Every structure is written in C-alpha cells, then in structure tokens.
Amino acid sequence: MKGRKGLLRFLPLTAILFLLAGCGEERLTALDPYGPQAQWILDNMILSLYVMALVIIVVFVLYFIAVVKFRRKPGDDEIPKQVEGSKALELTWTIIPIILLIILAVPTVAGTYYFAEEPPEAAGSSGEEEAEEAAAEAAEEGAVVIDVTGHQYWWQFDYPQGFTAGNEVYIPVGEKVWFNLTSNDVIHSFWVPALGGKIDTIPGVENQMWLQADEPGVYKGKCAELCGPSHALMDFKVVALERDEYDAWVENMSQEEELPEENTVASEGRQVFEDQGCIGCHAVEGQGSAQGPTLTNFADREKIAGVIDFTDENLEEWIRDPQSFKQGNNMQAYPNMSDEEMDAIIEYLKTLSVEDGE
Amino acid sequence: MSTAAATKDKSVLWDWLTTVDHKKLAILYLVAGGLFFIKAGLMAVFMRIQLMTAENDFLTGQTFNELITMHGTIMLFLAATPLIFAFMNFVIPLQIGARDVAFPFVNALGFWIFFFGGLLLSVSWFFGGGPDAGWTAYVPLSSGEYADLGLDFYVLGLQVSGIGTLVSGINFIVTIINMRAPGMTMMRMPLFCWTGLVISILIVFAFTPLAAGLALLMLDRLFGGQFFIPDMGGNAVLWQHIFWIFGHPEVYILVLPAFGIISEVVPAFSRKRLFGYTAMVFATLVIAFLGFMVWVHHMFTVGLGPITNSVFAIATMGIAVPTGIKIFNWLFTMWGGKITFNTAMLCASSFVPTFVLGGVTGVMLAMTPVDYLYHDTYFVVAHFHYIIIGGIVLGLLAGLYYWYPKMFGHKLNEKLGMLMFWLFYIGFHMTFFIQHILGLIGMPRRVYTYLEGQGMETMNLISSIGSFVMGAGILVLLINVVYSAFKAERITVNDPWDARTLEWATPTPIPEYNFAQTPQVRSLDPLFYEKMHGDGTIKPAEPMEDIHMPNGSILPFIIGLGLFTWGFGMVMINMENPIIPPAVVIGVGFVLTFGSMFIRSIKEDHGYHIPVEQVKKIEKEVS
C-alpha cells in the first residue's frame, strides 16, 4: 500500500465488511466505480444484497431460535409431535421467493440489454435513411471504436486511425467507447473493474462491449480467463484523457516515425533494434510487425510488459530473460547482447514517447 | 452350488479385490475417495501458501496451474463423486430393504473403472506434469498447440473414470426402481434414496455429453481433429457448451445426495419426521430438471447476446425457489423437535445457514450484468466453495459420523468430532468469506500471484491461515478414525442413534445378506413407525429361506486395469520416443478389457445359496 492512502470504506448493510480499497492513480476495485457501467453494477449488487439480506436474516433467525429453543434436555425421552407439513407454509416460501426474484429479474434483463448496446453506426439499421443519419451523427460525435486482440500475455489495441497500441489503451473521458474484441491464441477476458464488466476474447469470435470513464485517470485492467502460466501477469491499463488531450494523443500516435538524431546513443540503439531483429515483432510507429506489443509510446508506459516497474535494470533483465518475469511468454530472450548494445537499446526505447512531442 | 463356507478361505486382499458386496464396495469407495480428497486438499494448501503473500515465488505459474487443475478435477470427479457413491452404495440397498444392488457385478465394475481412471489421471505427474488448463479445460488452451501430455491424461483419465460413474448410475436407477421391499412405495422412500435416484438419472444424461466432448477433444489432441480449433474452422465456444451441459448438472449430482443426507440426519436427531416430505421430493425433481436448463450462466461473458443471457439468467434464478423450499423444510423439521447436538447433527444443521450463504451468492451471480463483474473472480471461487464445502462436504461429514457405526461397528469419538467440526467450520468461513471481497476489489481467479499495492495482501493472508485451520480439522478427523478404531466401544445394538429408517433395523455388524427375511414396510420412516405402532421390530414379508447371493469376481478389476492400459496406450501416441509402441499397449488393454467381458459373457455364474440353517445360525450370533 506504499504511497497510497488506505481508505476505509463502509459497504451498506454488511457492517462486518470493512474494506481496504486501494485508491490513487491506479483505480482497480469495482467497489469504487468511475463509469456508468460500473455504477450500474454496484447499484444492482447492493439491491441484490438488500434482497438477500432479507432472506439471510429470516433463515438465520429461524435457525438460531430452533437451535436454542428445541434442544433435547438430558433424560427427556418424550417424542415430539410428528408434523407432516403445512400447505400454507409451503406456499408462503414458494411465493415470497418468486416475488423477490422478480424484483431482481427486472433490472437483470434491462441491464443485460443496456450493456449490450451497440455503437451508433450499427444502431437503427431498420431504415437506410436512419442508418445513414445515425452514421453521420456518430461521425460527428466521433464515437471511438477500438479493436482489442488478446495475446499470451499482452493486449493489442488497434485504433480506427490506423495505429496500434500495446498494453495501455487511451480513451476519451465522458463518452462511451466501443471495443471489438477477439484473440490471437487462447481465450482471454478483458476486464476493467472500476469501469465495468468483462467480456471474453475468443479466437475466431468477435465480441463487442462498451465502457465509459467519467473521470480522467488510470484504470487497471486484468485478464480474467485462465490463459497459461502467466495469466496472473496479463495486466493492462486504461488511460482516460479529456477529449482534447485524447485527440492530441491520437494525433501524435498517428505521426510518421521520427528516427533519433544521427550519432547519438539512441540512434545506435535504433540500429541494434533492427539488427537484433526486435523490429521483427515490435513495430514502432507503424514500421515493423505486430507479433509483439507495438512500442510507439513505450516510454510513456508505467510498467514494462504490463507488470514490471519501469527501470533501466528491469528493462535490461527483461530483454535478457523475459521468462524469468512472465513464464511462457513468446518473446525471444537476448542473454548475450553486449552491454553497449543493451545500453543503446534501452536509451532508444526510452525515446519512444508521444507525450514529449507536444 | 457352493456354500458360504467356500468363500472363507480366501485371503483378505483377494476378498477385497473380488468383492461384489455393496457394503464392501462402499468402503472401497470411501477409502479411495478419501485418499483423493486428502491429495487434492493438500494441493489447495500449497496454493494457499503460494498466495499467502504478494508476488510470492513458492510455486511457478505453470505448477500453480497444474495444481488448480488437479485440485478441481480430483475434488469433483475423484473425491466428491466416490464419497457420494460410498454412502449411496452402503445405505440405499439397506434403506429400501434390499439384499444388494440390482447388478452387484456392475457395481464392482463401476468402482474399479472409476479407480483406474483416477489412477490414469494421477500418473500424469510422472510424465511431465499434470494437466494445466483448469478443471474446465477450455480450448484452445487445452488443445495440442498449448497443452502438453498432462491434458491427454486428463482426457483419457476422465473418459475412463466417467464410464465407471455412468455404469454405477445405471445400476442405482435399476436398484431403486426394482429392488424395493414390499410396501416401500416410491413416496415412502427416504429422501436419500430419492436424491440417489434423481442423481443417477442426472448422471446418465450429464456424463454422456461429457464422454462425447472428451472424445472430440481426444480426437483433436491425438489424431489431428479440428473440432475446437478456430484456425481450422473449429469452434472454441462449442467445448464450453458441451462441458457445462455436463458441468452444471454435475453440481447437482453432488449436492442433491448431500441434501439427502441432511434430510436423513436432521429428522433422526430432531426426533421428528421430515417436514413437508412431498414438497421435498418435488423440489428435488424440479432442481434436477432446471439443472439442465441453466448451463449458459457459466458462459455469460462469452458474448452469446442479450436474449440468451436473459433467458438463462431467469432460469437460473428459478432454481432458488425449490432450493428455498428445502431450506425452510429443514428449518421446520428442527422446529418443535427435540434436537440432540452430536457431531453428525452439528454438521447437518450448520449446513443449513452455510448453504444459504452460498445460495444467495448464486442468485446474485445469476444477475447477468452484475455477473460481468463477478465472473472468473474470487467472488465465484468463494461462491462455489460455499456450495461445495458448505454444502457437499458438510453433508458428507454428517453422513460419515451418522452411518459410521453401521459401517464399521463403532462410533467416531465425539470429543474429537466436535474439535474437527469447529476447526473445519471456522477455518472454512475464514478461508472463503473474505474471498467474496477479494473478487470485488479486482482479483481474478486462477492467478498464481498478485502484485503488491492492490490492497489484496491482508485478505489473502487471512484466507491462507483459514485454509490451514481447515486442514487441521481434517487432520483431527483422520486421528479420530485411527483413535476410534482402537479405542471406541463396539456397537452391538441395531440402532445406536434411535433413528427412523430401515438401515437401522439391520444387525450390527450387518450380515452379507443384509436382511435374513425381506422386510415388510408399512410407512415412511418404517423403523420409527414400528417403534410407535408395533414392537419396534420390522415384520418380515417372507418366510426364512435359503438366500441367493452373487459370487465375487476378479473380472471387474481386470476390466478396470484393461481400460487403464488402453488409456495409457492412447496417451503414449503423444509421447516422444515411447519405449514400447503405443499400439502394443492399446492392444493389451483392449484384450484385457474385451477378453474379460467375453469370459463374463460365456461363463455361467449363478451365484451361491446360503442355506437356511446357516442364516438362522448367523442371525442368532448377531442378535
């Protein structure tokens, strides 16, 4: 919990649940929602808790009275009255639960449809005119649709502007952002607890979901479906920016590659990056393949590979032996790279920022 | 025609290997299931040690994944199922007044096939590691591209042990429908027999899709099939449907007999008949029926669309109604009774509030959009452990303490029993209650570690300590078993608990033929009825005659061994450089299995008769 203040949260009803909810720059817990979806989930969870508390209280009270009152005293050999049952009681505890369940079923169905909302382009497909109108409206609003691809063990985010980001997805604040999700290998599950629900990314299937962040900030995301030895380490981040900052970020990400100045350590690093074949998997600003995470804004990231603190030492160790951090990941190890090459490549990687360009 | 005397010169080992007696098979199930339970429990302790602190490196991600997979698979297929079968085998024939199950040979066959299937799964540790794709084995993670040999052992091991479960299920259906004593009508059957019947039907309908699914996965993995491989036109979601069409009823296959045990133990120690017997029977049937209609609630986040998700959400909520009926009927059974709190009753009665806690989270999970939060987090882990431990294991413990004197001729020590109960119960809540919250603050399930600074350290530590306390409880149980075996007073009376049902009308220890004369049943709770309205003994429905008994046979063991060999040979197809060609091993397994079946088919075996004089002599000895 270092550097973050512990916040005692009191969850209504369940007085025994005192929670230490981590709060700070990286928002994680679903008990502290930052978007309409997460808020909806929390509200309805509390509704269901109230209903369930009613059930629990009734059962527990009956149970404890029965257990205390109807104990057999030593030496008491009397046979209690043998009761067959009671139709009235059976009906009572059939009908009341049905009513309680209806109270929960209505928001459940409503919420299922609310969460399954489609982006404005697809909506209103009943008439051609309407569709065109909707599309135009969407374009005006600039609805953001991001393609998400799960990989063992990282996340690829393709933006409609044609660039790709890895492990950190930037979204504008205060509007619904749509995600089209699939996977490149096994099934993963895309989950940002503080913003909303999760959905699986399945190879051969395209799923869709939307999320909305109401405040700028960094939201932690996790893979929620077992995907291999490093499943636990498949974290990502959602960075929510104000719309103008977001537009600027998109602008910067879309720019052509700026190579480092000649004859600097960083330019040597760029050479190493090509010679060692890094570029064969890691694209920078559209140059290179996308088998591994794109590194266009690598230096802006808070973590290496989603989970490791961003320091030169960790970066070196990661390049030399990625398996020691994330077992089973697909990155090639470079144990024999010389120290100069390593320094150069680290220097180069640290120049890969789109924020500096502003 | 041989006599009973002929069986006496057999060695003890040979006797246990060849037995077809339902009471001995029950003990075999109990021991085998108990060993698997301890093994999988230890795996859970290792996992909790790993998760005790953030970024711990006690286990690697790979080992951890093998442990979660084996823990889940063993607990459900090789621990809970056989332990349920142990009690069903022992109790059901006695409760319906039968001399044995309908097909004693098939009963032994079911045990040995299950056992060898479990063994096949377990030997995976010696060939490169256990399966690692979770007990649900979702493709593509479980496909040939991503998973090693362990998954082949999983597929073949479960396939073999599934056959055992399936034949046992069929045997129980026939037994319960055909072997009831005169007067034991369906609506006079104890609830444990009812749940036994219902889950046997569930087994027939649920284990068959599993067998089909495993066969497809086997074809994919061993013979280059592509049912589940998206790149080749297969469908990754298909496996999930098949698995959960089996997997959800499986939960009821395990929990309904636990309900049955509770419905036996609570009336016995409340000295009161089960409240709302008819409603309980119908609630069981409704739960079983709905159990097949809700599998998609395990797949809400797969993206099947709002229509599918809504329908299955509402169906899932529906299950709460019959379950609620059961809960209240148990409460009202205790209400107005004279309750004796021994260990069996403590386990059975504390089951009620505990199971409610698991049940309400079940309803919460049915709310689809909120499930988008809960799904695949520790909230779900907490939920199903409340169902499985708070429901099934407490039920099994209640049954163990309750039927132990009938099975082994002595009670378990009560003081150690109480100690076990409180350790286990407190440890259980400590381990799992807090996991609900862990899920909500963002801890996905099946993670081998978690990063520092996410507020998860304290709760995980508490959870781990709780699991050690639970483990201590089980250790006390084991000590109790050994201690009581040597120190406990031998039971000579028929009915040490002053109970109500027919199994307590048999002498202790039970002669191999159970009832010298088939009993005449006059009511629900027949023994209690005779105590109230008769002289406390069950009246016979037939004169004393020679008793026809089945012969023991080694063939079930050999068929099990044959299927093990066959399965191992199949796995060898995927091994690099097997010493023996796989085809040879497969062939040996094939010959053993079908050869035994052939021998069984052509060899006439009419069993033997225990002459009436000997029956009279035995009856005099035991009474």
Side-chain angles (χ1 to χ4, degrees):
Chain A
M1 297 292 297
K2 69 171 178 237
R4 308 208 172 88
K5 48 179 184 183
L7 176 66
L8 265 185
R9 287 182 60 88
F10 179 70
L11 201 70
L13 251 174
T14 42
I16 35 166
L17 306 185
F18 284 92
L19 309 174
L20 267 170
C23 194
E25 302 119 46
E26 272 176 33
R27 290 154 183 164
L28 173 63
T29 166
L31 298 174
D32 196 8
Y34 280 91
Q37 227 188 65
Q39 189 64 50
W40 192 99
I41 287 175
L42 185 65
D43 291 346
N44 283 277
M45 184 171 81
I46 289 170
L47 168 75
S48 67
L49 271 178
Y50 277 113
V51 174
M52 291 308 145
L54 191 72
V55 176
I56 291 174
I57 289 168
V58 170
V59 170
F60 276 45
V61 166
L62 285 174
Y63 176 74
F64 282 108
I65 294 176
V67 163
V68 172
K69 202 174 157 196
F70 299 108
R71 276 170 181 274
R72 182 177 172 190
K73 316 257 166 348
D76 180 359
D77 274 338
E78 195 195 332
I79 299 290
K81 190 165 170 254
Q82 302 293 310
V83 190
E84 234 179 81
S86 155
K87 269 208 185 103
L89 279 175
E90 300 287 350
L91 279 176
T92 314
W93 56 60
T94 308
I95 291 165
I96 292 178
I98 290 177
I99 294 169
L100 293 181
L101 289 174
I102 290 171
I103 294 174
L104 297 180
V106 172
T108 298
V109 175
T112 308
Y113 280 85
Y114 171 53
F115 279 48
E117 226 170 85
E118 288 174 7
E121 286 97 329
S125 52
S126 51
E128 216 170 286
E129 233 171 274
E130 263 178 74
E132 261 173 49
E133 226 171 272
E137 213 175 292
E140 218 169 281
E141 283 174 11
V144 179
V145 182
I146 301 168
D147 292 336
V148 180
T149 311
H151 298 261
Q152 278 178 329
Y153 304 92
W154 62 282
W155 297 90
Q156 176 188 342
F157 302 104
D158 291 307
Y159 282 73
Q161 290 83 355
F163 63 85
T164 300
N167 279 341
E168 292 189 3
V169 56
Y170 285 67
I171 61 167
V173 153
E175 56 187 274
K176 283 182 183 169
V177 176
W178 272 272
F179 297 94
N180 295 319
L181 308 100
T182 189
S183 167
N184 190 45
D185 36 49
V186 301
I187 300 174
H188 306 275
S189 192
F190 180 83
W191 185 33
V192 191
L195 296 183
K198 62 176 74 66
I199 196 152
D200 296 350
T201 68
I202 304 167
V205 175
E206 185 164 289
N207 277 330
Q208 196 165 58
M209 83 180 299
W210 62 269
L211 290 174
Q212 178 179 332
D214 285 339
E215 272 181 42
V218 180
Y219 302 92
K220 205 156 187 188
K222 283 174 183 291
C223 172
E225 180 66 61
L226 179 66
C227 57
S230 288
H231 160 57
L233 303 175
M234 199 171 149
D235 289 4
F236 62 99
K237 287 192 178 66
V238 177
V239 183
L241 301 173
E242 295 290 0
R243 185 72 209 204
D244 50 342
E245 289 175 37
Y246 171 77
D247 288 338
W249 179 82
V250 168
E251 187 72 17
N252 286 332
M253 287 295 281
S254 315
Q255 270 168 13
E256 299 261 308
E257 184 175 16
E258 295 169 40
L259 288 174
E261 275 178 52
E262 295 282 325
N263 297 325
T264 58
V265 185
S267 74
E268 274 171 43
R270 167 72 196 194
Q271 197 55 46
V272 178
F273 191 73
E274 283 171 25
D275 294 347
Q276 291 282 351
C278 306
I279 204 160
C281 293
H282 296 285
V284 177
E285 301 190 349
Q287 303 294 307
S289 132
Q291 268 185 292
T294 306
L295 301 178
T296 308
N297 62 339
F298 181 71
D300 299 339
R301 293 183 197 155
E302 290 175 21
K303 301 269 186 182
I304 305 164
V307 288
I308 308 157
D309 286 334
F310 203 119
T311 63
D312 288 3
E313 295 76 44
N314 281 346
L315 187 52
E316 178 175 349
E317 239 179 285
W318 167 258
I319 294 169
R320 290 201 191 279
D321 185 12
Q323 296 297 328
S324 67
F325 292 94
K326 273 180 144 175
Q327 193 186 9
N329 81 73
N330 293 318
M331 176 157 155
Q332 198 186 325
Y334 294 88
N336 302 323
M337 213 184 263
S338 72
D339 286 345
E340 290 97 66
E341 282 178 318
M342 186 58 79
D343 290 344
I345 208 164
I346 289 172
E347 208 52 47
Y348 167 65
L349 289 173
K350 288 201 298 191
T351 66
L352 296 174
S353 165
V354 297
E355 282 168 8
D356 296 352
E358 288 170 29
Chain B
M1 194 199 296
S2 60
T3 61
T7 61
K8 282 206 176 128
D9 15 322
K10 290 174 185 167
S11 77
V12 177
L13 179 67
W14 184 254
D15 182 39
W16 283 97
L17 290 181
T18 58
T19 184
V20 293
D21 181 349
H22 73 100
K23 299 178 289 295
K24 285 186 174 161
L25 284 166
I27 290 167
L28 285 176
Y29 268 120
L30 194 66
V31 172
L35 289 175
F36 277 122
F37 176 82
I38 290 164
K39 178 179 165 189
L42 280 174
M43 290 177 185
V45 170
F46 286 144
M47 293 188 289
R48 280 318 317 173
I49 293 174
Q50 162 67 14
L51 290 172
M52 203 153 77
T53 55
E55 299 177 38
N56 196 0
D57 57 1
F58 175 65
L59 301 171
T60 63
Q62 178 62 31
T63 316
F64 189 88
N65 286 354
E66 289 170 20
L67 287 180
I68 54 165
T69 306
M70 287 299 263
H71 170 77
T73 312
I74 293 178
M75 279 297 188
L76 288 164
F77 290 95
L78 308 178
T81 312
L83 288 173
I84 296 278
F85 273 169
F87 293 121
M88 281 171 61
N89 250 304
F90 190 85
V91 177
I92 286 180
L94 297 176
Q95 280 192 335
I96 61 174
R99 295 229 161 89
D100 206 319
V101 293
F103 308 117
F105 181 89
V106 174
N107 201 14
L109 187 63
F111 170 77
W112 288 112
I113 295 179
F114 138 75
F115 179 77
F116 278 107
L119 216 55
L120 183 57
L121 179 64
S122 300
V123 295
S124 60
W125 293 111
F126 304 108
F127 297 92
D132 57 0
W135 86 282
T136 51
Y138 277 8
V139 286
L141 190 60
S142 61
S143 67
E145 195 182 341
Y146 298 98
D148 282 337
L149 224 48
L151 245 298
D152 295 313
F153 283 105
Y154 169 95
V155 169
L156 272 308
L158 289 190
Q159 189 67 280
V160 171
S161 88
I163 297 170
T165 309
L166 204 53
V167 297
S168 302
I170 294 167
N171 198 4
F172 278 115
I173 297 176
V174 181
T175 304
I176 296 171
I177 289 178
N178 284 337
M179 306 286 286
R180 283 170 290 127
M184 178 60 82
T185 61
M186 292 299 272
M187 291 310 279
R188 282 181 188 168
M189 276 199 319
L191 217 70
F192 184 64
C193 294
W194 261 111
T195 54
L197 173 64
V198 169
I199 72 131
S200 300
I201 297 169
L202 289 189
I203 283 174
V204 172
F205 284 95
F207 271 75
T208 34
L210 176 72
L214 289 171
L216 295 183
L217 189 54
M218 181 190 78
L219 290 172
D220 269 17
R221 290 189 55 87
L222 296 181
F223 303 108
Q226 42 213 248
F227 294 102
F228 303 123
I229 300 171
D231 292 345
M232 316 280 273
N235 186 334
V237 180
L238 179 63
W239 168 262
Q240 299 190 20
H241 282 292
I242 297 174
F243 188 86
W244 288 116
I245 284 171
F246 148 78
H248 196 79
E250 166 75 358
V251 179
Y252 295 103
I253 289 171
L254 299 176
V255 87
L256 286 175
F259 286 177
I261 294 172
I262 303 304
S263 305
E264 300 300 306
V265 177
V266 168
F269 294 114
S270 304
R271 314 189 90 194
K272 202 162 152 280
R273 67 174 277 166
L274 187 66
F275 193 88
Y277 171 85
T278 319
M280 288 296 246
V281 171
F282 280 97
T284 307
L285 295 172
V286 172
I287 291 174
F289 179 74
L290 285 178
F292 276 101
M293 310 285 154
V294 298
W295 79 90
V296 167
H297 73 216
H298 298 273
M299 303 167 61
F300 278 157
T301 64
V302 165
L304 298 174
I307 299 172
T308 314
N309 281 359
S310 301
V311 169
F312 278 90
I314 289 167
T316 305
M317 289 182 178
I319 293 190
V321 177
T323 314
I325 292 174
K326 283 183 165 283
I327 294 286
F328 284 106
N329 278 312
W330 287 318
L331 285 175
F332 276 78
T333 305
M334 289 196 278
W335 195 272
K338 302 268 183 198
I339 308 174
T340 311
F341 277 105
N342 49 30
T343 313
M345 184 58 179
L346 261 183
C347 291
S349 72
S350 63
F351 163 98
V352 176
T354 314
F355 192 79
V356 167
L357 289 177
V360 297
T361 52
V363 177
M364 292 166 72
L365 281 160
M367 298 177 73
T368 316
V370 194
D371 180 73
Y372 295 159
L373 160 63
Y374 303 139
H375 185 84
D376 268 341
T377 68
Y378 259 80
F379 190 90
V380 173
V381 176
H383 158 73
F384 67 69
H385 281 99
Y386 262 81
I387 298 294
I388 292 176
I389 298 179
I392 299 162
V393 176
L394 278 180
L396 288 170
L397 286 173
L400 183 72
Y401 278 84
Y402 180 57
W403 283 309
Y404 205 84
K406 194 58 57 187
M407 291 176 100
F408 295 101
H410 61 268
K411 290 183 182 177
L412 285 170
N413 184 284
E414 273 300 314
K415 274 194 186 129
L416 286 172
M418 295 280 174
L419 180 64
M420 176 218 72
F421 171 78
W422 288 112
L423 282 175
F424 189 77
Y425 197 65
I426 291 167
F428 159 69
H429 283 289
M430 205 172 146
T431 311
F432 293 107
F433 193 83
I434 210 148
Q435 290 185 357
H436 290 112
I437 305 159
L438 271 174
L440 298 181
I441 66 165
M443 184 156 164
R445 71 190 277 203
R446 293 169 165 176
V447 290
Y448 81 94
T449 192
Y450 48 95
L451 300 182
E452 271 172 46
Q454 301 181 121
M456 295 169 182
E457 288 90 343
T458 321
M459 284 187 248
N460 271 301
L461 181 64
I462 293 172
S463 183
S464 291
I465 294 171
S467 72
F468 304 150
V469 178
M470 257 171 95
I474 296 299
L475 194 64
V476 173
L477 173 65
L478 295 178
I479 293 170
N480 197 351
V481 167
V482 177
Y483 175 85
S484 303
F486 291 104
K487 296 278 181 180
E489 195 189 330
R490 300 298 111 172
I491 302 276
T492 47
V493 294
N494 291 356
D495 180 18
W497 301 118
D498 193 14
R500 313 169 68 85
T501 38
L502 213 48
E503 73 268 33
W504 303 106
T506 57
T508 316
I510 312 178
E512 58 176 328
Y513 48 76
N514 297 350
F515 298 93
Q517 291 157 289
T518 300
Q520 172 72 45
V521 176
R522 298 203 288 167
S523 163
L524 178 74
D525 291 346
L527 184 59
F528 180 77
Y529 183 86
E530 297 299 339
K531 284 182 202 164
M532 291 295 110
H533 302 277
D535 60 358
T537 58
I538 302 282
K539 298 295 161 292
E542 57 172 16
M544 193 86 93
E545 281 170 349
D546 290 359
I547 295 175
H548 183 200
M549 296 298 291
N551 279 327
S553 171
I554 192 66
L555 291 177
F557 180 87
I558 295 176
I559 293 176
L561 187 67
L563 284 172
F564 175 89
T565 315
W566 166 80
F568 194 83
M570 294 295 274
V571 175
M572 284 170 77
I573 294 175
N574 264 1
M575 280 184 194
E576 286 165 33
N577 315 317
I579 305 161
I580 315 164
V584 174
V585 182
I586 294 171
V588 170
F590 206 77
V591 169
L592 280 177
T593 308
F594 287 96
S596 304
M597 288 183 185
F598 182 71
I599 293 171
R600 172 71 184 168
S601 303
I602 55 156
K603 199 182 140 208
E604 288 199 37
D605 180 3
H606 297 297
Y608 63 95
H609 283 82
I610 305 175
V612 67
E613 297 78 42
Q614 199 173 347
V615 173
K616 279 181 183 156
K617 213 179 95 195
I618 296 172
E619 285 298 300
K620 198 169 274 173
E621 269 171 32
V622 292
S623 58

